[in-house]
Amino acid sequence: KPRLDSEGCPAQQNWTEGQEGVLACRAKGRPEPEVKCSKDGNSIAAGIPYPADRAHAGTYRCRATNALGTAERNVTVWVQHGPAGVTVRALPSANVTRGSGFTVDCGAEALPAPTYTWALPPAPNLRLAADNRSVTVTRATTANRGVYTCTASNRHGRRAGSVVVRVDESWLAVLVALGALGAVTALGLAVAGGYYLKTTACKKGEYNVRDAEGSSEAACLHRHRDNRGDIFGIQLTQP
């Protein structure tokens, strides 16, 4: 009866992208078994070299058959490759308001897993994550604007990606404009208030007609002369 074991048919196998890969799966038994393997409905011949690519990665079901019976075994193929699909993202946005915080993340597809290095704008408020996959900035300033470049590397190669971060200071101009507008408004109110007090202060109070001629307050109210003498604009009260 056929037998598939780790010696002739290892359960974990590593290929390298761009090189020839061979699905090693040899069965024991007499008469000699025939071995066929398949993945997702697609067959692949064991022991035959193929140009390896990432599409070959996955778990294959291998079956050995002879006149005495059948044996089956799962074989997982890993296809190692250099970094690909490097993504660099600024979160929540690459357009940052001065004083706010943001994070730049880096990721890549690679086997084995890549290591990450950065080229960053020189600034004191940067903090790298323990795995070097991200950079966090607190209280952003103009020193934090620029190009953030991440390089992913493993023994099969390296690849880089970048993002441009902009620090927006337009809110400062808005504050300055609002401050200037407030100052102008306050000055205008002060002038208007002074004019109002000047033109109304002498009108306060009530006067008897008999006191009008000698009243300094009444004299403020547009006194003028005609052929009848001095005329005062005053508020009359009951005698």
Side-chain angles (χ1 to χ4, degrees):
K1 182 178 178 178
R3 188 170 78 254
L4 292 171
D5 56 24
S6 57
E7 181 182 357
C9 191
Q12 304 287 328
Q13 302 185 25
N14 284 293
W15 297 7
T16 300
E17 187 175 47
Q19 300 179 11
E20 287 189 342
V22 176
L23 184 60
C25 192
R26 188 177 66 256
K28 297 177 181 179
R30 289 195 180 277
E32 184 176 351
E34 179 184 15
V35 178
K36 293 182 179 180
C37 300
S38 64
K39 176 176 74 78
D40 301 328
N42 298 314
S43 296
I44 184 171
I48 304 298
Y50 293 89
D53 62 42
R54 274 168 273 175
H56 288 119
T59 299
Y60 293 80
R61 185 68 174 173
C62 293
R63 174 178 292 186
T65 305
N66 67 9
L68 299 178
T70 300
E72 294 184 341
R73 183 175 176 84
N74 286 336
V75 176
T76 299
V77 172
W78 303 93
V79 179
Q80 298 192 5
H81 58 90
V86 177
T87 58
V88 184
R89 301 179 302 164
L91 301 172
S93 171
N95 295 313
V96 180
T97 302
R98 181 185 174 95
S100 64
F102 66 94
T103 298
V104 180
D105 286 338
C106 183
E109 298 177 9
L111 188 67
T115 58
Y116 297 91
T117 56
W118 292 86
L120 304 168
N125 55 342
L126 301 170
R127 187 178 74 253
L128 288 170
D131 59 2
N132 246 35
R133 288 193 59 175
S134 64
V135 180
T136 299
V137 174
T138 55
R139 297 184 179 181
T141 69
T142 54
N144 298 119
R145 63 189 176 192
V147 180
Y148 289 66
T149 300
C150 169
T151 301
S153 308
N154 67 9
R155 63 174 174 264
H156 300 296
R158 61 171 51 199
R159 185 162 294 185
S162 299
V163 65
V164 177
V165 172
R166 297 174 177 83
V167 178
D168 183 12
E169 295 188 282
S170 59
W171 64 276
L172 290 175
V174 172
L175 288 180
V176 170
L178 289 175
L181 179 61
V184 171
T185 302
L187 180 61
L189 290 174
V191 171
Y195 177 78
Y196 173 80
L197 291 175
K198 180 178 179 181
T199 57
T200 60
C202 63
K203 297 180 182 179
K204 295 179 180 179
E206 297 182 347
Y207 306 94
N208 190 285
V209 174
R210 291 190 301 273
D211 299 328
E213 186 172 357
S215 170
S216 61
E217 289 85 353
C220 294
L221 300 180
H222 310 294
R223 183 177 67 177
H224 65 276
R225 294 176 179 273
D226 62 10
N227 56 4
R228 294 174 295 175
D230 291 338
I231 297 176
F232 297 88
I234 63 173
Q235 182 176 348
L236 298 179
T237 62
Q238 294 291 332

